[in-house]
Amino acid sequence: MKQKLLGMSPAELKEAAVRIGLKPYAGKQLAEWMYVRRVRSFEAMTNISKEGRAALADSYDLGTSDPVEVHVSSDGTKKYLFGFDGKSSIESVVIPDEDRRTLCVSSQSGCRMGCKFCMTGRQGFHGNLSAADILNQFLSVEESHELTNAVFMGMGEPLDNYDNVLRAIEVLTSDWGFAWSPKRVTLSTIGVLPNLKRFLDGSRCHIAVSLHNPFAEERASMMPVQKAWPASEILDLLRSYDFSGQRRVSFEYTMFAGFNDDKVHADALVRLLRGLECRVNLIRFHRIPDFPYDPSPLPVMEAFRDRLSRQGVTCTIRASRGEDIFAACGLLAGKHDKD
Ligand code: SF4
């Protein structure tokens, strides 16, 4: 299989160019074409000679690929499916909201974290995405040039594929790459503690932690990760960083009727988050088969939000998007045309 160029730094692209007899400056040209102009073929790189482009195409794969399916929701949300290994696929969602276009990015095909309420977790693990696979989602959606933000909240646990995710983020946020501010990128994690620390030290992007329950035993019953890295330890780590400036930390809290949506949970959540400048996003649960809980009714979610707000925790109810095309939270990999 040919080596993919997408995801390489200018220095690595220079090496790749020189290896096949091109001038060193071809590395800079490649970076410019791929990351600044965001072309999707060697033919489009018109300041590289015809012979040079042919040599590149003989030796390397650019790393771009077209989506194999696109679904459009009645609310404008768009779900893209990209092929992965011939058997499974990767899903990306573009969420339009006034002047924003947010890409919800996948970092793995499937997931090995096993959260009980998640369709991605239920399908098992098919593999880590390479940096090229991650960046292709940015380049190959129709809205590529309109994207304003990215959230690593698609399929997979990004901190379980740390090196590839960080490499993709480096391309997104470097001056030689997409030149996005780190403020435009949010990484969502269930709390893979050692890599969370590396991420907090190695990037300036926002972080969102999927909490879903303040009580250890209840959280563990839905999220096996709690046994390895308890939420209390995640909170202790986060408290040692400064989130009062540009960088934000938020907590995702999916609401299940009669499981995590009463006053006791709201008060315990306030206690757990004490001392941390943060926001809580309440997420409506989307029913999935063979799962015992229903979504919390909206008035219950509102009461929960108000109880948190009264105790000084900023809290919002996140609008649900793309449910009709199975693009909403927790539903990725829920339904494909080929099912
Ligand atoms: Fe994996 Fe996230 Fe689903 Fe948990 S919620 S199984 S970490 S994709």
Side-chain angles (χ1 to χ4, degrees):
M1 203 195 286
K2 290 181 194 167
Q3 197 178 9
K4 291 180 179 175
L5 297 185
L6 202 51
M8 288 187 184
S9 67
E12 290 164 334
L13 289 167
K14 178 173 146 190
E15 269 176 40
V18 169
R19 210 176 300 136
I20 59 166
L22 300 188
K23 299 278 187 227
Y25 61 76
K28 209 166 161 236
Q29 290 173 316
L30 280 165
E32 164 103 11
W33 282 114
M34 289 195 297
Y35 303 140
V36 182
R37 303 206 195 192
R38 305 198 204 148
V39 301
R40 301 179 61 254
S41 71
F42 290 118
E43 296 86 76
M45 301 178 177
T46 48
N47 64 355
I48 299 177
S49 69
K50 212 170 163 200
E51 298 72 35
R53 281 180 267 155
L56 284 164
D58 279 349
S59 306
Y60 300 114
D61 179 354
L62 197 53
T64 55
S65 64
D66 291 330
V68 290
E69 283 180 32
V70 184
H71 301 264
V72 186
S73 161
S74 54
D75 66 15
T77 302
K78 230 166 165 184
K79 181 169 82 170
Y80 290 85
L81 267 70
F82 295 97
F84 177 61
D85 56 4
K87 298 188 288 286
S88 48
S89 52
I90 301 165
E91 303 187 355
S92 319
V93 181
V94 176
I95 307 156
D97 187 15
E98 296 182 357
D99 54 352
R100 284 160 75 109
R101 297 281 176 280
T102 301
L103 182 69
C104 181
V105 192
S106 289
S107 54
Q108 297 178 313
S109 178
C111 185
R112 56 183 150 206
M113 294 295 143
C115 305
K116 299 272 190 332
F117 49 84
C118 171
M119 289 302 282
T120 308
R122 281 194 187 185
Q123 72 156 219
F125 180 64
H126 306 295
N128 279 328
L129 270 57
S130 64
D133 296 329
I134 296 169
L135 291 166
N136 181 53
Q137 299 171 66
F138 288 81
L139 289 176
S140 297
V141 296
E142 216 181 308
E143 300 77 3
S144 178
H145 288 274
E146 297 156 37
L147 296 174
T148 58
N149 298 77
V151 289
F152 282 78
M153 285 187 188
M155 298 168 76
E157 163 53 55
L159 295 185
D160 190 36
N161 183 17
Y162 184 85
D163 291 338
N164 291 322
V165 167
L166 257 282
R167 180 171 273 262
I169 287 177
E170 193 192 351
V171 172
L172 288 174
T173 57
S174 293
D175 289 344
W176 50 261
F178 284 44
W180 279 23
S181 156
K183 286 185 289 179
R184 294 167 68 180
V185 180
T186 302
L187 181 138
S188 173
T189 178
I190 58 170
V192 177
L193 192 63
N195 285 344
L196 178 58
K197 176 154 181 33
R198 287 171 75 197
F199 181 76
L200 289 165
D201 292 335
S203 103
R204 289 181 294 125
C205 299
H206 300 313
I207 190 93
V209 176
S210 298
L211 201 50
H212 307 315
N213 204 304
F215 296 117
E217 266 184 39
E218 289 179 10
R219 186 169 188 260
S221 72
M222 289 270 192
M223 303 173 70
V225 72
Q226 169 73 20
K227 292 181 195 128
W229 296 297
S232 56
E233 291 182 20
I234 304 290
L235 266 295
D236 286 345
L237 174 71
L238 290 169
R239 274 192 203 91
S240 64
Y241 289 81
D242 178 14
F243 293 102
S244 61
Q246 300 270 306
R247 184 179 223 181
R248 284 197 309 263
V249 60
S250 56
F251 294 89
E252 311 290 302
Y253 196 97
T254 304
M255 298 198 69
F256 308 98
F259 177 70
N260 64 351
D261 61 355
D262 59 16
K263 293 176 192 168
V264 181
H265 288 88
D267 293 347
L269 188 54
V270 171
R271 285 196 297 276
L272 189 65
L273 301 181
R274 199 157 278 155
L276 193 62
E277 201 140 327
C278 63
R279 140 190 309 270
V280 172
N281 293 316
L282 302 180
I283 300 167
R284 192 167 70 79
F285 172 58
H286 302 100
R287 259 188 210 92
I288 59 171
D290 306 321
F291 184 78
Y293 293 103
D294 289 323
S296 300
L298 185 58
V300 173
M301 293 181 76
E302 288 169 344
F304 196 93
R305 176 198 60 197
D306 295 345
R307 198 168 177 93
L308 258 59
S309 302
R310 279 198 302 276
Q311 296 181 72
V313 176
T314 309
C315 181
T316 50
I317 297 176
R318 172 151 345 122
S320 184
R321 303 292 303 269
E323 195 174 350
D324 56 337
I325 55 164
F326 296 87
C329 286
L331 294 182
L332 292 185
K335 190 164 178 61
H336 301 173
D337 275 357
K338 59 180 179 284
D339 283 350

